[in-house]
Every structure is written in structure tokens, then in C-alpha cells.
Amino acid sequence: MTDKRALLDEIDFYLVTDSGLSRKGTLSDVEKAVAAGCRIVQYREKSISTKDMILEAAQIKTLCGSESIFLVNDRVDVALAVDADGVHIGQDDMPIDTARALLGSNKIIGLTVHNVEEALEAERMGADYIGLSPIFNTSTKKDAGNGIGPESIRAVKDSIKIPIVAIGGINKQNSESVVVSGADSLVAISAVVCSDDVEKETREFIDLIQRIKSLK
Ligand code: 3NM
């Protein structure tokens, strides 16, 4: 168990990078989000060479320091190359038991799921958290499918013990419904990285989520 894994219980806003949507670039987005108090960053990059990914991932790891969890989307090899804190994988990526065998027991593995059955299986297979998606319709991920609705979160929350990260179409207007329905934290990509002020947006999301949690 790494110290970082204990941080999973404390996360509110979860940054996923998107170089295609970003106004100021991935490194700037990570720097600003971490400065605002974001305690988990997932490097999600599909459009550059493996060599460049490793270089950028190493820089993100430095920006995350000891304060924030640093995960790599999909690419277990890149996570291993830079000694990231773990990976986030999808249903069609490397199977979770294979990823665990490669990464070891100390690393964090998050898995994307879409319903209660997949959430139960993720927990059974040793996922450290699940990403539940897509909560709302989103144009950020073209193949995400239709939103499952915030009301779907409760049944998943009641079925598993590991933290739930909600993703897909989330913004400041609909965050309350997501957190009230049982999400432990949330991702909002376009709502944050399309902004001119990522630090301010991140801080506002964190304040909002913490306020809603304190009222629950
Ligand atoms: N995964 P936005 S939806 C990266 O459904 C990602 O698994 C999804 O972006 C899934 O916050 C998504 O801009 C994009 O809607 C979320």
C-alpha cells in the first residue's frame, strides 16, 4: 500500500487531461489544477508517440509530486516507464488482473464501468476505484454512448465499497445531482480544460463538491 492510495478516500475533483481540448496545454492544466488543490490527475493522451508520452508523463509526475495521485490512462507500459502511481483502464483495455500482475500490489488501478454488474466485477477483480460513465451525454468522447443519468449512481454506490468517480458531461450546474446521488468524486474535462483559468475552475469545482458533501 502506497501513501498515495490513502489519498483516494479524500479526492473531490479528478483531473483528466485532454490535449485536443486544452486551451493552455496539458502541462499547464496539470500545474494549475494541482495548485488549486486537485489531488488526482489522469494523463489521457492518444495522439503522440510513445516516446513523447513518456517524456510528458515524467513531467506530469513531477508536477503531481507527493501531494497528488498520478495515473496514466490505458498505457500500463508508460505508467511503468515513469513509475506512475497507477493506471486507469477501460473495459476493452488490458484486463485488470494482467495490469495488476505487471504493476504490482502497491499501484492504483481504476476501471471504467457502466452499470452495477461491471462495478461488482471491477471490485471483485481488485480495482481500487471505478470510473462510472457516462453520467450525461458528452461530445468529449465520441463513443461514450448515452448518459446513464445521475440517478443510476445510487445503485452502484449501494453495491460496492470502493470509491466512485463520476464522468461524462458533468459541469458546475449538474454536479450537485452527481454528488448527492453518491459519487465520491467527479471528472469534468471540457468544463475545466476549455477554460482560460483552469486554476479558478478547479478551485470552484472543489469548493462546490466539498460544500455539497458537507450538506449530505
Ligand atoms: N470517458 P467531459 S466520457 C474520457 O464515458 C471520458 O467513459 C468517458 O469529458 C466515458 O467532462 C469522457 O468534457 C469524456 O464530458 C468526459
Side-chain angles (χ1 to χ4, degrees):
M1 176 116 161
T2 59
D3 293 340
K4 291 279 188 80
R5 205 184 300 197
L7 279 178
L8 271 181
D9 292 327
E10 293 166 27
I11 58 175
D12 298 306
F13 180 79
Y14 179 137
L15 181 76
V16 176
T17 67
D18 190 319
S19 59
L21 287 179
S22 174
R23 296 283 282 269
K24 304 261 167 90
T26 292
L27 291 177
S28 168
D29 291 347
V30 172
E31 185 182 5
K32 300 294 181 195
V34 169
C38 174
R39 292 291 160 256
I40 184 162
V41 173
Q42 181 194 132
Y43 178 46
R44 184 173 183 270
E45 179 57 68
K46 312 257 182 205
S47 61
I48 61 177
S49 69
T50 298
K51 182 177 168 186
D52 287 343
M53 274 187 78
I54 289 172
L55 288 172
E56 193 163 53
Q59 291 172 284
I60 296 173
K61 179 181 165 171
T62 302
L63 291 172
C64 288
S66 57
E67 297 285 291
S68 301
I69 295 168
F70 168 48
L71 305 180
V72 177
N73 177 277
D74 182 8
R75 296 289 301 267
V76 175
D77 56 342
V78 174
L80 282 168
V82 301
D83 192 26
D85 298 313
V87 294
H88 182 91
I89 51 185
Q91 292 287 323
D92 296 329
D93 294 333
M94 181 182 287
I96 191 166
D97 49 351
T98 310
R100 178 65 74 200
L102 288 169
L103 289 166
S105 57
N106 285 338
K107 297 295 185 185
I108 294 167
I109 301 181
L111 184 68
T112 294
V113 308
H114 308 97
N115 51 47
V116 170
E117 290 69 33
E118 288 179 357
L120 285 166
E121 178 66 2
E123 185 173 63
R124 195 184 69 76
M125 295 292 288
D128 296 292
Y129 74 90
I130 55 150
L132 182 60
S133 79
I135 307 300
F136 303 101
N137 293 345
T138 177
S139 51
T140 303
K141 187 171 190 275
K142 302 294 174 224
D143 62 353
N146 291 330
I148 59 174
E151 60 283 357
S152 308
I153 301 171
R154 177 56 53 194
V156 176
K157 183 70 187 165
D158 290 343
S159 307
I160 59 170
K161 293 195 180 67
I162 54 176
I164 299 176
V165 178
I167 182 169
I170 300 173
N171 54 43
K172 273 184 261 168
Q173 287 68 46
N174 61 29
S175 287
E176 181 167 1
S177 63
V178 171
V179 178
V180 165
S181 301
D184 297 287
S185 66
L186 59 83
V187 175
I189 300 183
S190 47
V192 168
V193 307
C194 295
S195 157
D196 276 334
D197 194 337
V198 168
E199 188 167 344
K200 176 169 163 284
E201 289 299 318
T202 304
R203 192 167 286 124
E204 287 180 3
F205 264 107
I206 292 171
D207 288 349
L208 179 63
I209 298 163
Q210 290 182 345
R211 212 171 327 122
I212 300 164
K213 284 185 178 177
S214 74
L215 296 174
K216 279 212 291 181

